[in-house]
Amino acid sequence: VEAAAIRLTQAADDQPVPFQFIPDPDYDPTTRIVGTLVAQLNHGPTVELRLSLADRTTHPPDSTAIFSGTVSTPFCTIDHKPAAQGGLPSRIGFPKTGKVFENFRWQDRVHHPEQGGYQFRDDSEATVERVSEGPLCTVVRVRARCMRGNEQPESQPAAVYDWYYFQDRPLVYVTALQTQQQPFEWREWHFLELNFPGDDFAGYFG
């Protein structure tokens, strides 16, 4: 099953529903058809949808198009650079106010009292790719390893982050697929820990 063949319609009238399908990092068109469906639904108490496979009559988006690493929405502009922060966002701009936030560090890492800590931002070989772009959202996939300088632990922990930037709302949805090549029980595995020394933001909510 190719992602471009997926079709989403309203069950009541067979009208197409705007959507984007984002394949999981371990998606396989034959053995593992798994991903995330982002859809724009009409307002109402309930909506019944029908997911089907259509004969592909149009070409899928060009996945080989050059991606600069920058994503822009009406609410923010974000830079993903493989050489900075392990591919995680290294600069965030807010176009409505002109504010730029870039003096920060991601502390996503694994840690063990005996092994110490290994951080994603130390991976100089992280990769960044745009896996989906459409009217609803842009999705950036980051692959990075936990490193301490050039050193990697024996279990080789790594993660694949998917960053969903929506065009119609000031929200970012992030998922992470964490893996390692050998079993090891890390006592801590930090996800989306952002530290900054300045007073860029005076409050928080959670």
Side-chain angles (χ1 to χ4, degrees), residues 73-95:
T73 75
F75 312 99
C76 58
T77 300
I78 305 97
D79 287 347
H80 287 267
K81 306 297 183 185
Q85 303 269 13
L88 302 181
S90 56
R91 183 181 185 275
I92 304 172
F94 301 90

Side-chain angles (χ1 to χ4, degrees), residues 20-57:
Q20 290 173 236
F21 175 75
I22 297 88
D24 273 8
D26 53 354
Y27 172 89
D28 184 278
T30 303
T31 61
R32 184 173 171 77
I33 307 168
V34 180
T36 299
L37 196 70
V38 178
Q40 188 175 66
L41 305 179
N42 293 328
H43 295 289
T46 59
V47 178
E48 183 179 349
L49 303 176
R50 179 178 292 115
L51 192 66
S52 59
L53 299 178
D55 293 332
R56 196 176 69 194
T57 57

Side-chain angles (χ1 to χ4, degrees), residues 130-161:
R130 181 179 54 203
V131 295
S132 183
E133 184 176 36
L136 304 183
C137 64
T138 298
V139 183
V140 176
R141 179 163 292 165
V142 177
R143 298 177 185 270
R145 303 166 297 166
C146 289
M147 308 288 289
R148 184 192 297 145
N150 294 323
E151 177 188 352
Q152 189 178 20
E154 186 176 353
S155 66
Q156 301 180 42
V160 181
Y161 289 75

Side-chain angles (χ1 to χ4, degrees), residues 51-75:
L51 192 66
S52 59
L53 299 178
D55 293 332
R56 196 176 69 194
T57 57
T58 59
H59 295 288
D62 183 7
S63 60
T64 64
I66 296 175
F67 176 47
S68 67
T70 299
V71 176
S72 295
T73 75
F75 312 99

Side-chain angles (χ1 to χ4, degrees), residues 174-194:
V174 187
T175 66
L177 175 65
Q178 302 167 337
T179 62
Q180 57 183 358
Q181 299 304 308
Q182 298 181 27
F184 186 80
E185 186 178 352
W186 295 98
R187 298 296 176 83
E188 301 175 23
W189 198 311
H190 296 241
F191 174 64
L192 297 187
E193 182 177 327
L194 181 66

